[in-house]
């Protein structure tokens, strides 16, 4: 059972509003180290420069989309075991299946509640303290 305050999270989304909503939810759950990136390329650079325990990434972004980011993460041995939750605005079954094929740990459909965010994170890490 990890303490949320000990986990480092990276929120990757091209919309500042969504990043702020995810950040707020994570803070409510007790996360302290929350970083942000506005696209997959920026997110990958961020991950390669510092340890991250959890990535919450949007599917649709310019430059490198969420699936591309997931594939890149799984291809880089130093970061390939990073927990990855895909954030999507629609429950697109095909996209979710592709994400599962590439090794996503879970997915979260927008709009979401803090309770749903907790549920998705706990499905990956176990109960948060």
């Amino acid at each position: 059972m990890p303490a949320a305050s000990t986990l480092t999270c990276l929120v990757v989304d091209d919309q500042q509003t969504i990043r702020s909503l995810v950040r707020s939810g994570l803070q409510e759950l007790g996360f302290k180290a929350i970083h942000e990136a506005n696209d997959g390329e920026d997110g990958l650079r961020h991950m390669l420069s510092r340890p991250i325990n959890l990535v919450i990434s949007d599917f649709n972004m310019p430059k490198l989309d969420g699936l591309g980011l997931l594939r890149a993460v799984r291809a880089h041995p130093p970061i390939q075991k990073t927990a990855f939750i895909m954030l999507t605005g629609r429950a697109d079954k095909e996209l979710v299946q592709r994400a599962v094929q590439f090794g996503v740990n879970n997915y979260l459909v927008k709009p979401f509640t803090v309770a749903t965010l907790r549920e998705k994170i706990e499905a990956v890490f176990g109960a948060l303290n």
Side-chain angles (χ1 to χ4, degrees), residues 1-128:
M1 288 189 284
S5 62
T6 66
L7 297 173
T8 303
C9 186
L10 174 64
V11 180
V12 186
D13 198 303
D14 59 323
Q15 295 182 20
Q16 175 62 45
T17 304
I18 300 300
R19 290 194 313 267
S20 295
L21 287 171
V22 175
R23 174 183 279 280
S24 176
L26 290 168
Q27 288 171 331
E28 194 171 322
L29 294 175
F31 282 79
K32 303 285 186 226
I34 306 166
H35 305 277
E36 296 182 17
N38 58 8
D39 62 52
E41 285 181 359
D42 187 34
L44 184 58
R45 277 191 303 274
H46 200 87
M47 292 181 71
L48 292 171
S49 70
R50 66 179 49 95
I52 300 291
N53 302 110
L54 171 64
V55 173
I56 299 176
S57 176
D58 190 26
F59 263 116
N60 300 306
M61 295 180 288
K63 297 184 185 178
L64 185 63
D65 67 11
L67 283 176
L69 176 58
L70 175 60
R71 289 176 70 182
V73 167
R74 295 300 182 241
H76 280 79
I79 60 173
Q80 68 187 174
K81 298 209 183 288
T82 303
F84 201 111
I85 296 176
M86 195 69 75
L87 183 61
T88 181
R90 59 185 188 278
D92 187 325
K93 195 173 185 176
E94 182 183 327
L95 283 175
V96 171
Q97 288 173 342
R98 288 181 61 207
V100 168
Q101 290 173 339
F102 294 132
V104 76
N105 297 94
N106 214 330
Y107 72 96
L108 180 65
V109 178
K110 297 182 271 188
F112 61 89
T113 63
V114 174
T116 304
L117 180 62
R118 173 187 287 277
E119 175 185 308
K120 298 297 183 172
I121 294 170
E122 288 183 340
V124 175
F125 289 102
L128 296 174

